[in-house]
Amino acid sequence: MFTINNLLDIMVLVIFMNMQEKLTILADSAKYDASCSSSGSALKRHGDIGNTAYSGICHSFASDGRCISLLKILMTNCCIFDCKYCLNRKSNNIKRALFTPEEICEITINFYRRNYIEGLFLSSGIIKSPDYTMNLMIETISLLRHKYKFGGYIHAKAIPGASTYLLNKLGNLVDRLSANIELPTENGLKLLAPNKDTNKITKIMEYIKENKSQTFVPAGQSTQMIIGATKETDYEIMKRSSEMYHNYSLKRVFYSAYIPVNKDNLLPSLNLPPLKRENRLYQADWLMRFYHFKVNDLLNADNPNFNLLLDPKADWALRHLEEFPKEINTCSYNDLLKIPGIGVTSAKRIISSRKYFKISFNDLQKMGIVLKRAKYFIVCDGKYFVNNLCFNRSFIESNLVLEDNLLTSLKGEQLSLF
Amino acid sequence: MNEKYIYIYNNSFLSLLNLIQTLFKNKIVPQNIKPQDYSPSLFDKIVNLDIKEDEQVIEDIINYLSSNILNTLYYVYLSSNEHKELIIYYFWGHSLKYKNKIFYMRNLKSVNAALKISKYVSRENHRLKGFLRFKELSNRILYAEIAPENNIIFLLSKHFRKRLNNEYWMIKDVKRNIYCLYDKKDCFFVDGQNFEIGPKQWSMDENNIQSLWKTFYKTIGISQRKNKRCQMNFMPKKYWKYIIEMSEDDEESYN
Ligand code: SF4
């Protein structure tokens, strides 16, 4: 067991470890956070170096296929809490490290100038107390903004339990500030993160929402849930998400497939992280945010989990075949969005083009609209693409599943939506 | 064998616009248009109209075309597509009739092609905003090499002018031998020169920072989620040579 009880310990952490080793420890502990985006900030800061790109930029892709946009590190992996799922929990006997504010600034600036990153994502284990930790983070970021004149993107994790005064201070320095809800239900949190409580986390979200402005957290807030560490159904998870989007105007909810790093009899023993499930949740999240779907369209108490063989939209369409096939030349924008395989761009393209000419299947192809999935659900000028007799659930379902699995076996497991 | 009449322009965008404008005026439908340094085939008959650079004509063209359309033409011009000149000719031709509605006329072959190509160019530009890597030289100048498929250095430099506006930097397009030099105020484009910059010119810190970055890169991937295909889809191999964390990578560790 490791705790920091005096200055000497801290000095040991700071001085007797080289940067390579520190960076390894503190990036390794930070990597489980799924958030990566660097977008949404239009604020022009008066820095000497750097700016933010509204649409976000990916600088590299890690071996797991996830985008690397920010220098994602912990300030320290020392922690007084003991969250069961976390590598840094105090009961783990692991190497601990701590970055000084200057060290973080130096790495950030050096990486940024060389165009390795869009900016910094700073999170931290809790050292001494939430306020103490937040103060150190503020010191670091304020140094980066004011002395190093850094105008690039910064995402900071708020420490639950820190005072609103500090929250306010930090929020004025960063582009994005966020707090992780960690688990979809309060019971789950109590079970696995006994030192945390949902209220403290939602209070942060509430505060950020109330105070968001051009200069306070201009890129908004996001949060993350761990999937598969507790027993919640997809229905519970999606209800929680939709509630949070609604109550706290979140920009994103990230879903992070649980990866066992600790042994604990409260934790499930999984061999592989539930990546397919995570993918379904992202797809459904997408449908809620951009396609006007409600949680209850997709799931309900009798049918509380996503079909792992079919994406949520296709699954929904097959359960509502009476609404199909839809006529591409006349159906509304919202109806176009309901067609499996038709995305926002395609729907817009169809709407604007059909004013000028009647769209045939051929035209759809020329317009760059992928018909692989859509063809079962549409008619163009009264014509059905596949044989009319084939318009039934079992035929379409088996074809979609077949294509899907062919596709995934060709393209690898994970369909990334980051 | 039929002879083919090839109209040539002097490689620049403006001269291409000028040529096409002249073709329109004289109601000539070209079989092909090529830059003057292309390598002709046996049956090509080269036609050089020797059009005078007339600022007024250029200005008229620019004023007449909407900025969307002009932008599309420019992006297609920057592409490496071998039929780009004809695509520009036809896209422009259609745009005279359809004006800004042209962007919805994807059922026309040349329109669809032009929109696709310009999107492709702008995507490569966006990608390189992320994939480009600077190295610091001993005089603190930042230096990067790129080898893009399309000629995007002009577009890309705009991004870095804003981002690193208080640094001296230089980007070299290795494929085309074009350099962009930035002196904290303006960008200068130079071509034809060729000088090699290697580790000898790097600053004291450079090795150290590069190895810190590689450490970070290796650490941040989650092994239980390993997905090489996904990684390659997003970061195609053709860019790896100039991405330091990928370049010297022994193939095996990624398999
Ligand atoms: S508070 Fe919990 S999740 Fe955060 S670092 Fe500490 S133990 Fe880990």
Side-chain angles (χ1 to χ4, degrees):
Chain A
M1 192 132 124
F2 191 102
T3 46
I4 297 185
N5 30 36
N6 57 40
L7 200 67
L8 208 82
D9 282 342
I10 297 187
M11 302 246 310
V12 170
L13 292 176
V14 173
I15 298 166
F16 296 109
M17 198 182 269
N18 73 29
M19 284 297 277
Q20 294 282 356
E21 195 179 354
K22 267 194 202 182
L23 187 61
T24 309
I25 294 172
L26 294 171
D28 191 60
S29 322
K31 72 182 174 196
Y32 299 100
D33 201 300
S35 162
C36 76
S37 82
S38 59
S39 58
S41 195
L43 180 62
K44 302 245 175 318
R45 295 179 194 277
H46 296 284
D48 260 4
I49 168 163
N51 62 354
T52 54
Y54 190 74
S55 53
I57 294 174
C58 285
H59 285 255
S60 194
F61 288 88
S63 53
D64 52 20
R66 299 190 304 166
C67 146
I68 301 176
S69 175
L70 304 171
L71 171 63
K72 192 189 288 180
I73 47 170
L74 298 191
M75 186 175 70
T76 178
N77 64 338
C78 300
C79 194
I80 56 174
F81 280 8
D82 202 42
C83 309
K84 298 285 177 269
Y85 49 82
C86 175
L87 190 64
N88 309 321
R89 63 181 185 180
K90 73 170 179 206
S91 57
N92 275 4
N93 187 6
I94 53 163
K95 251 194 178 170
R96 307 282 171 167
L98 172 88
F99 273 131
T100 64
E102 282 80 8
E103 285 170 341
I104 294 178
C105 294
E106 286 290 335
I107 307 185
T108 307
I109 293 288
N110 271 306
F111 281 9
Y112 192 85
R113 286 181 68 229
R114 288 165 177 76
N115 203 42
Y116 302 165
I117 52 171
E118 276 304 283
L120 174 67
F121 179 172
L122 189 64
S123 175
S124 184
I126 302 171
I127 178 172
K128 269 191 182 157
S129 71
D131 272 0
Y132 184 84
T133 312
M134 276 279 265
N135 257 318
L136 266 178
M137 292 173 77
I138 291 169
E139 193 190 321
T140 306
I141 293 175
S142 148
L143 196 70
L144 188 56
R145 287 282 192 229
H146 299 128
K147 185 171 162 215
Y148 289 80
K149 305 248 188 274
F150 179 67
Y153 193 93
I154 301 179
H155 176 174
K157 279 263 123 111
I159 307 293
S163 69
T164 32
Y165 169 72
L166 295 178
L167 213 52
N168 181 46
K169 234 171 138 177
L170 187 55
N172 277 305
L173 292 166
V174 299
D175 297 278
R176 173 165 286 183
L177 184 60
S178 61
N180 284 351
I181 195 83
E182 310 288 15
L183 294 157
T185 60
E186 203 166 342
N187 283 339
L189 197 71
K190 266 204 196 109
L191 186 71
L192 296 187
N195 311 94
K196 287 188 179 167
D197 90 64
T198 311
N199 267 334
K200 282 191 182 144
I201 300 165
T202 50
K203 246 172 82 188
I204 298 177
M205 296 180 170
E206 186 96 41
Y207 184 83
I208 297 172
K209 184 200 166 189
E210 295 297 311
N211 293 281
K212 186 182 179 309
S213 73
Q214 291 285 311
T215 52
F216 182 87
V217 195
Q221 57 174 332
S222 61
T223 194
Q224 163 171 314
M225 274 191 261
I226 302 166
I227 303 308
T230 43
K231 296 212 160 50
E232 288 91 352
T233 60
D234 292 344
Y235 187 42
E236 284 171 286
I237 295 169
M238 290 317 295
K239 271 199 300 195
R240 184 72 175 135
S241 286
S242 121
E243 199 179 281
M244 287 193 298
Y245 275 121
H246 183 252
N247 293 347
Y248 310 115
S249 327
L250 297 182
K251 280 275 151 52
R252 285 293 296 274
V253 175
F254 290 94
Y255 307 88
S256 172
Y258 168 66
I259 294 169
V261 289
N262 299 323
K263 282 220 161 40
D264 198 304
N265 45 22
L266 288 174
L267 294 169
S269 51
L270 302 172
N271 288 326
L272 286 169
L275 292 176
K276 194 86 208 173
R277 186 177 176 203
E278 179 192 280
N279 181 217
R280 291 291 177 249
L281 289 163
Y282 275 114
Q283 289 171 324
D285 183 272
W286 208 261
L287 292 179
M288 286 201 315
R289 285 186 299 142
F290 304 114
Y291 292 78
H292 313 288
F293 278 88
K294 302 250 166 6
V295 181
N296 287 314
D297 295 335
L298 302 170
L299 296 168
N300 54 52
D302 299 327
N303 179 21
N305 288 305
F306 289 114
N307 183 346
L308 290 182
L309 288 175
L310 269 179
D311 67 274
K313 200 179 182 188
D315 193 58
W316 174 86
L318 285 170
R319 282 185 284 115
H320 294 83
L321 264 193
E322 71 281 357
E323 295 197 18
F324 296 94
K326 294 196 189 287
E327 170 60 60
I328 287 291
N329 284 292
T330 53
C331 79
S332 71
Y333 176 70
N334 279 352
D335 276 353
L336 284 173
L337 287 182
K338 297 230 154 102
I339 300 168
I342 302 274
V344 171
T345 324
S346 303
K348 285 189 177 146
R349 222 174 251 180
I350 291 169
I351 292 280
S352 44
S353 294
R354 73 187 187 191
K355 282 187 226 150
Y356 304 108
F357 58 92
K358 196 165 256 170
I359 299 174
S360 69
F361 272 102
N362 221 333
D363 294 329
L364 282 177
Q365 259 154 353
K366 278 193 221 149
M367 289 157 66
I369 289 165
V370 184
L371 292 176
K372 211 188 275 153
R373 308 173 76 68
K375 64 177 182 240
Y376 302 104
F377 299 95
I378 56 173
V379 282
C380 289
D381 201 14
K383 280 195 209 67
Y384 189 56
F385 185 79
V386 205
N387 184 341
N388 271 332
L389 294 173
C390 298
F391 186 72
N392 64 64
R393 180 164 175 174
S394 62
F395 175 82
I396 301 176
E397 184 162 352
S398 50
N399 272 299
L400 289 179
V401 171
L402 205 74
E403 266 166 20
D404 243 21
N405 294 327
L406 222 79
L407 201 78
T408 41
S409 66
L410 286 175
K411 281 202 177 158
E413 253 309 296
Q414 182 189 22
L415 202 115
S416 179
L417 286 167
F418 293 118
Chain B
M1 208 32 128
N2 285 335
E3 286 180 333
K4 244 184 158 182
Y5 289 91
I6 314 284
Y7 291 85
I8 57 168
Y9 64 106
N10 80 4
N11 298 6
S12 79
F13 182 54
L14 294 184
S15 113
L16 176 62
L17 291 185
N18 220 338
L19 168 63
I20 294 178
Q21 172 80 340
T22 312
L23 295 176
F24 283 150
K25 236 195 251 155
N26 297 299
K27 301 212 163 51
I28 300 171
V29 180
Q31 282 170 300
N32 213 342
I33 304 173
K34 288 280 164 199
Q36 61 189 195
D37 59 359
Y38 93 111
S39 19
S41 75
L42 206 55
F43 303 101
D44 286 359
K45 258 200 113 82
I46 289 172
V47 187
N48 192 345
L49 294 181
D50 249 331
I51 303 157
K52 295 228 163 43
E53 290 276 332
D54 184 343
E55 268 175 45
Q56 192 52 47
V57 176
I58 296 292
E59 213 166 280
D60 287 349
I61 295 174
I62 291 175
N63 288 336
Y64 183 75
L65 290 174
S66 79
S67 63
N68 289 348
I69 292 172
L70 194 64
N71 236 334
T72 308
L73 298 182
Y74 182 56
Y75 275 54
V76 175
Y77 161 77
L78 295 178
S79 82
S80 55
N81 188 295
E82 60 170 323
H83 307 297
K84 63 183 183 184
E85 290 87 359
L86 279 186
I87 292 170
I88 290 175
Y89 173 89
Y90 283 107
F91 183 84
W92 185 356
H94 284 305
S95 82
L96 298 176
K97 176 167 167 208
Y98 294 109
K99 300 278 177 314
N100 260 331
K101 280 181 214 149
I102 184 100
F103 293 101
Y104 309 121
M105 307 310 282
R106 280 185 183 256
N107 53 340
L108 303 172
K109 223 168 106 198
S110 58
V111 174
N112 193 38
L115 295 179
K116 251 196 189 146
I117 295 167
S118 84
K119 178 95 186 266
Y120 184 67
V121 171
S122 104
R123 228 179 81 181
E124 185 172 46
N125 178 40
H126 187 77
R127 269 181 163 164
L128 277 169
K129 287 179 194 171
F131 295 161
L132 177 144
R133 298 284 177 267
F134 282 112
K135 290 173 178 137
E136 191 190 59
L137 308 183
S138 48
N139 44 14
R140 262 187 78 83
I141 292 178
L142 296 167
Y143 172 71
E145 291 179 350
I146 54 172
E149 213 175 307
N150 305 295
N151 190 8
I152 52 155
I153 195 166
F154 311 100
L155 304 175
L156 195 60
S157 62
K158 280 195 219 158
H159 169 75
F160 286 105
R161 262 178 94 149
K162 280 191 225 132
R163 171 145 300 186
L164 298 174
N165 80 316
N166 211 12
E167 303 267 357
Y168 294 103
W169 49 257
M170 175 166 29
I171 300 172
K172 174 183 183 182
D173 181 335
V174 179
K175 259 192 192 163
R176 300 170 182 81
N177 238 326
I178 303 177
Y179 295 77
C180 173
L181 312 166
Y182 175 74
D183 69 350
K184 297 195 180 186
K185 245 178 86 204
D186 292 305
C187 279
F188 303 92
F189 294 92
V190 187
D191 61 359
Q193 306 282 325
N194 194 5
F195 44 92
E196 294 296 319
I197 288 178
K200 273 200 202 114
Q201 282 101 321
W202 292 357
S203 72
M204 299 248 291
D205 265 358
E206 185 54 28
N207 263 321
N208 183 27
I209 303 287
Q210 285 189 21
S211 85
L212 274 176
W213 171 245
K214 285 178 199 162
T215 299
F216 175 78
Y217 179 78
K218 284 204 187 91
T219 312
I220 207 73
I222 299 177
S223 58
Q224 293 95 327
R225 303 181 60 117
K226 192 167 201 151
N227 192 336
K228 198 195 167 193
R229 255 194 196 112
C230 197
Q231 177 197 31
M232 291 248 268
N233 275 344
F234 289 121
M235 190 161 60
K237 232 173 170 164
K238 62 181 176 191
Y239 298 116
W240 286 14
K241 188 171 170 201
Y242 299 99
I243 300 177
I244 61 164
E245 65 272 26
M246 309 307 290
S247 53
E248 48 194 84
D249 213 75
D250 39 319
E251 291 278 298
E252 281 91 278
S253 72
Y254 277 87
N255 283 327

